[in-house]
Amino acid sequence: MNLDQLRQGIDDVDLQIQRLIERRAELAQQVGRVKKADSNDQPVVFYRPDREALVLREVIDRAQGDLPPKRIARIFREIMSACLALEEPTRIAFLGPEGTFTEAAAQKHFGSAGRPAPQTTIRDVFREVEAGSAHYGVVPVENSTEGVVSHTLDCFINSPLKICGEVEMPIHHNLMAAGAIDVRAITQVFSHQQSLAQCRQWLDANIPQATRTAVTSNAEAARMIAEDMPAGEVWVAIGGDMAAARYDLEFVARRIEDEPDNSTRFLVIGSIEPGPTGDDKTSIIVSLENQPGALYGLLEPFKDRNIDMTRLESRPARMATWAYVFYLDFNGHQQDPEVAALLDDLREQCLELQILGSYPRAVL
Amino acid sequence: MNLDQLRQGIDDVDLQIQRLIERRAELAQQVGRVKKADSNDQPVVFYRPDREALVLREVIDRAQGDLPPKRIARIFREIMSACLALEEPTRIAFLGPEGTFTEAAAQKHFGSAGRPAPQTTIRDVFREVEAGSAHYGVVPVENSTEGVVSHTLDCFINSPLKICGEVEMPIHHNLMAAGAIDVRAITQVFSHQQSLAQCRQWLDANIPQATRTAVTSNAEAARMIAEDMPAGEVWVAIGGDMAAARYDLEFVARRIEDEPDNSTRFLVIGSIEPGPTGDDKTSIIVSLENQPGALYGLLEPFKDRNIDMTRLESRPARMATWAYVFYLDFNGHQQDPEVAALLDDLREQCLELQILGSYPRAVL
């Protein structure tokens, strides 16, 4: 086929794709009408994280040809997002302002038809969703370099909200300075301990002479470079693009992380409890008595039932009754019989156990 | 149909959409092979802004049903972006850092399969594209509140690059303060003249007591609130989310603009010259002699040939030879006979005339 014929072929395919997308929107609207008719005047939840995860996984599983399966899945997320917006625009509360990493995470998860509602604090994100002003919230939970995990988890403790999904976002580290510098003149490099560790090989190879100093966060490191650097010193910081923009720093080098797949994890919070999809995670918070063997007793049921724990994090106990507090993620859904049995076992070991939610594993 | 039947129907449609997207990718790859075979070893340009604009307009024109036509077009932009990435990832230079408004514009135009290459200055964006390190660049051109237009235009004067497309992005104004304040206590509001004008009604209705002071840019206004506010005063600034993030300001009110459709315009720059699409714009820079009637003489050919000028902006002349310099946008493509004749007329009126490019009008 020549160019004109190929382009005609593409145009024909495009028309078919368009008609099918329009047909899909019609069917989705019918789903909305059936849900409303069946709702007995209760508020109808149109966005179902479990159903969406199943569709996206199906798309990835059956992918053929050279297009990367995740790229096709992203196109489907946009199609689903557009169809959903016909029902009711999904209002998404997130830690603002607009243009931040959390908004990017919200958009990755909900597609561009979601209505962003930026909030000033993580607590405000919870409040908006609890009050029904937003359908879902997106909050950071695992960002080892900035230490925001604890604040998000604290918000769950007195909230009726559940985790409905998770979003993973790749992150990159850059070396930043206050203006143009000679790399050989660098005297100190500041960053969060975790970032220093993640860039160790690059630092060894490129600025072995620089003293490495760990500070509380990457944002704090950027601030120090911008504001605290004494004359005669050449300080640099490791951090993301946001920190550079905020403190007007220049990039000495970009993407200096040793492992290219650092990622930050966000949670989708809401009032619904997604059903099982066959590939789910469950998050819980437990408190243990302050006595020898308590943690061992907690881990035993996981081993016995052969359930993978994907994260275990100890938390400072804010309340007197919660002597030792742990945050745990593990594979499976609370409706799976094995997981339900595990949760029963754990309840015997713990002073308190709060299920934060069972939700589909991040697809994209 | 009940819920299960409808969902089955959606699943069937999804499978068909997926197979068609995969078929489209195959055809696009064949286009790439034909182009390569016909290239005589010249570099092949896979992304054609004119062809893409035609496809998107076709999608919008033939849209049926309740999905907003522009939303379907955005899905097609993603499909085209994914197919294009199979040929060769399109590297896009833009004014960094990542996470800025210009990156959002680049993504809106090229879809998410483009490879972003953030640059420190607008001049660097031009250099990257001129050197072939990036296929295209995205630069701000019409952002009345920040005054970046002039710098971008200056870069064209000594560059072989052409304008290949335009991107329009909606912008919003917010009222921002350094912490929680009582609106009635506000003494002064700072912003760029243009922003103050765009929010006049809101300011009249909500803070009539506050003195309005125009400063050089919205970023400068935000900086002043953060750093220069004297004790006893309550200053606020009008600006976008980026400025708030950068200076850690809080939002007193969001989206306070009187007209909800302020937008910022970006140009796509590259080494190719898109062909006519039937709905194009042409941008030129001209210099006129410093004599009475020179500007009138410039405008006459537009009236005579009934060609719409969409923008006329005077520029400070940096070079002695360019006595008066004007930047003009008008409807039509330089290959259209009427536009070609207009350009001939203009050449007679001007000391110099540089065609920056003819390109498809922004579709989305």
Side-chain angles (χ1 to χ4, degrees):
Chain A
M1 282 200 277
N2 64 26
L3 264 189
D4 282 343
Q5 290 166 325
L6 287 168
R7 285 191 170 144
Q8 186 56 52
I10 288 176
D11 288 344
D12 293 344
V13 168
D14 280 350
L15 177 58
Q16 293 179 61
I17 293 174
Q18 181 164 1
R19 291 292 169 252
L20 284 166
I21 292 173
E22 287 158 355
R23 172 76 186 134
R24 190 194 201 283
E26 263 175 53
L27 290 167
Q29 283 180 299
Q30 287 185 41
V31 168
R33 281 191 287 271
V34 172
K35 278 188 182 176
K36 262 188 202 140
D38 294 351
S39 69
N40 297 317
D41 292 327
Q42 293 296 303
V44 179
V45 180
F46 293 103
Y47 174 81
R48 296 293 316 194
D50 39 356
R51 162 92 181 141
E52 179 158 307
L54 286 171
V55 171
L56 293 177
R57 281 186 205 139
E58 186 70 25
V59 167
I60 288 172
D61 285 347
R62 71 191 176 200
Q64 296 174 354
D66 292 340
L67 276 182
K70 288 203 174 181
R71 279 211 60 84
I72 313 188
R74 269 188 219 120
I75 293 168
F76 271 89
R77 173 152 279 169
E78 277 303 310
I79 294 173
M80 283 189 276
S81 175
C83 292
L84 188 71
L86 285 181
E87 298 304 328
E88 179 186 38
T90 310
R91 201 160 175 272
I92 318 295
F94 67 97
L95 187 65
E98 291 173 65
T100 57
F101 208 49
T102 315
E103 184 178 27
Q107 185 168 335
K108 182 177 177 195
H109 192 81
F110 289 97
S112 49
R115 287 259 180 90
Q119 307 299 318
T120 311
T121 66
I122 293 175
R123 180 77 63 187
D124 287 338
V125 175
F126 275 77
R127 275 199 208 105
E128 283 287 294
V129 183
E130 286 169 11
S133 314
H135 296 92
Y136 291 95
V138 176
V139 289
V141 67
E142 222 170 83
N143 181 337
S144 43
T145 53
E146 304 293 341
V148 285
V149 182
S150 51
H151 191 63
T152 295
L153 295 179
D154 290 345
C155 288
F156 275 112
I157 288 177
N158 292 310
S159 173
L161 298 182
K162 295 292 178 188
I163 303 175
C164 305
E166 57 170 3
V167 194
E168 285 183 348
M169 299 286 286
I171 53 168
H172 301 291
H173 289 323
N174 308 303
L175 199 70
M176 309 176 297
I181 58 157
D182 178 354
V183 171
R184 289 162 302 183
I186 295 171
T187 55
Q188 284 216 62
V189 50
F190 293 87
S191 196
H192 188 274
Q193 179 57 46
Q194 204 94 19
S195 302
L196 288 170
Q198 285 166 354
C199 304
R200 195 174 52 78
Q201 291 174 28
W202 192 94
L203 297 173
D204 287 349
N206 293 279
I207 49 169
Q209 83 283 0
T211 313
R212 295 170 204 176
T213 306
V215 294
T216 52
S217 75
N218 291 349
E220 169 64 8
R223 192 201 58 74
M224 289 173 66
I225 308 309
E227 297 173 1
D228 298 348
M229 185 166 67
E233 290 276 313
V234 180
W235 289 4
V236 292
I238 297 173
D241 291 305
M242 290 289 172
R246 176 155 178 185
Y247 293 103
D248 219 358
L249 301 181
E250 292 190 14
F251 295 116
V252 181
R254 296 181 72 94
R255 304 199 169 187
I256 63 170
E257 63 273 7
D258 301 328
E259 296 296 325
D261 52 4
N262 284 324
S263 74
T264 297
R265 194 164 155 253
F266 296 84
L267 297 178
V268 179
I269 56 172
S271 307
I272 66 149
E273 305 198 19
T277 70
D279 189 8
D280 303 290
K281 285 163 90 169
T282 297
S283 297
I284 61 173
I285 295 180
V286 299
S287 64
L288 299 180
E289 274 184 287
N290 185 358
Q291 64 177 43
L295 182 58
Y296 181 81
L298 181 74
L299 302 183
E300 208 169 20
F302 286 93
K303 183 174 65 71
D304 291 348
R305 297 188 180 276
N306 202 22
I307 289 175
D308 262 355
M309 193 186 296
T310 56
R311 189 171 186 90
L312 168 67
E313 189 150 334
S314 67
R315 300 267 310 105
R318 292 276 166 89
M319 281 157 277
T321 53
W322 288 41
Y324 269 74
V325 178
F326 291 90
Y327 170 74
L328 286 88
D329 288 347
F330 52 88
N331 289 338
H333 192 285
Q334 53 187 309
Q335 292 178 24
D336 299 342
E338 268 300 289
V339 172
L342 171 82
L343 289 168
D344 286 340
D345 293 349
L346 293 178
R347 280 192 190 93
E348 284 178 21
Q349 303 285 336
C350 303
L351 294 173
E352 290 187 56
L353 184 152
Q354 182 182 354
I355 300 177
L356 302 185
S358 292
Y359 47 92
R361 181 187 306 280
V363 181
L364 293 178
Chain B
M1 280 200 279
N2 64 26
L3 264 189
D4 282 342
Q5 289 165 326
L6 288 167
R7 285 192 170 142
Q8 185 56 51
I10 289 176
D11 288 344
D12 293 345
V13 168
D14 280 350
L15 177 59
Q16 293 179 62
I17 293 174
Q18 180 164 2
R19 290 293 169 255
L20 284 164
I21 292 172
E22 287 158 356
R23 171 75 186 136
R24 189 193 202 284
E26 264 176 54
L27 290 166
Q29 282 179 302
Q30 286 185 45
V31 168
R33 280 191 288 270
V34 172
K35 279 188 179 174
K36 262 188 202 141
D38 294 350
S39 70
N40 297 317
D41 291 329
Q42 294 295 303
V44 179
V45 180
F46 292 103
Y47 175 79
R48 298 291 317 193
D50 38 358
R51 163 94 183 137
E52 178 158 310
L54 286 172
V55 171
L56 292 177
R57 281 186 206 140
E58 186 68 26
V59 167
I60 289 172
D61 285 347
R62 70 188 177 203
Q64 297 173 353
D66 293 338
L67 275 183
K70 288 203 174 182
R71 278 211 61 84
I72 312 188
R74 269 190 220 120
I75 293 168
F76 271 88
R77 173 150 279 168
E78 277 302 310
I79 293 172
M80 284 189 275
S81 173
C83 292
L84 188 71
L86 284 180
E87 298 304 328
E88 179 186 35
T90 310
R91 202 161 174 270
I92 318 296
F94 68 97
L95 187 65
E98 291 172 67
T100 59
F101 209 48
T102 316
E103 184 178 26
Q107 185 168 334
K108 182 178 177 194
H109 192 81
F110 288 98
S112 50
R115 288 258 182 91
Q119 307 298 319
T120 311
T121 66
I122 292 175
R123 181 77 64 187
D124 288 337
V125 175
F126 275 77
R127 275 200 208 103
E128 283 287 294
V129 183
E130 286 168 11
S133 313
H135 296 92
Y136 292 95
V138 176
V139 289
V141 67
E142 221 170 84
N143 181 337
S144 42
T145 52
E146 303 293 341
V148 286
V149 182
S150 52
H151 191 64
T152 295
L153 295 179
D154 291 345
C155 289
F156 274 112
I157 288 178
N158 292 308
S159 173
L161 298 183
K162 296 292 179 190
I163 303 175
C164 304
E166 59 170 3
V167 193
E168 286 183 348
M169 298 286 286
I171 53 168
H172 302 289
H173 290 322
N174 308 303
L175 198 71
M176 309 177 296
I181 58 157
D182 179 352
V183 172
R184 290 162 300 182
I186 295 172
T187 55
Q188 285 215 62
V189 51
F190 294 87
S191 195
H192 188 274
Q193 179 57 47
Q194 203 94 21
S195 301
L196 287 171
Q198 286 167 355
C199 303
R200 194 174 51 78
Q201 290 175 27
W202 192 94
L203 296 174
D204 287 348
N206 292 279
I207 50 169
Q209 81 284 358
T211 313
R212 295 170 203 176
T213 306
V215 295
T216 52
S217 74
N218 290 349
E220 169 63 9
R223 191 201 58 74
M224 288 172 66
I225 307 311
E227 297 175 1
D228 298 348
M229 185 166 67
E233 291 276 311
V234 180
W235 289 2
V236 293
I238 297 173
D241 292 305
M242 290 290 172
R246 177 156 176 186
Y247 293 103
D248 219 358
L249 301 181
E250 291 191 15
F251 295 116
V252 181
R254 296 182 73 95
R255 305 201 170 186
I256 63 170
E257 64 273 5
D258 301 329
E259 297 295 322
D261 53 3
N262 284 324
S263 74
T264 297
R265 195 165 153 250
F266 296 84
L267 297 177
V268 179
I269 56 171
S271 308
I272 66 148
E273 304 199 19
T277 69
D279 188 9
D280 303 291
K281 284 163 91 171
T282 297
S283 297
I284 60 174
I285 295 180
V286 299
S287 64
L288 300 180
E289 274 185 286
N290 185 0
Q291 65 178 41
L295 182 58
Y296 182 80
L298 181 74
L299 302 183
E300 209 168 18
F302 285 94
K303 184 174 65 71
D304 292 347
R305 297 189 180 277
N306 203 20
I307 289 176
D308 262 356
M309 192 187 296
T310 55
R311 190 172 185 89
L312 166 68
E313 188 150 335
S314 67
R315 299 270 308 107
R318 292 278 166 88
M319 282 156 278
T321 52
W322 288 40
Y324 269 72
V325 177
F326 291 91
Y327 169 74
L328 286 86
D329 288 349
F330 51 89
N331 288 338
H333 192 284
Q334 54 187 309
Q335 291 178 27
D336 299 342
E338 270 298 290
V339 173
L342 171 82
L343 290 169
D344 286 341
D345 294 348
L346 294 178
R347 279 192 191 93
E348 285 177 23
Q349 303 284 338
C350 303
L351 294 173
E352 290 187 56
L353 184 152
Q354 183 183 352
I355 299 176
L356 302 185
S358 292
Y359 47 92
R361 182 188 306 280
V363 181
L364 293 180

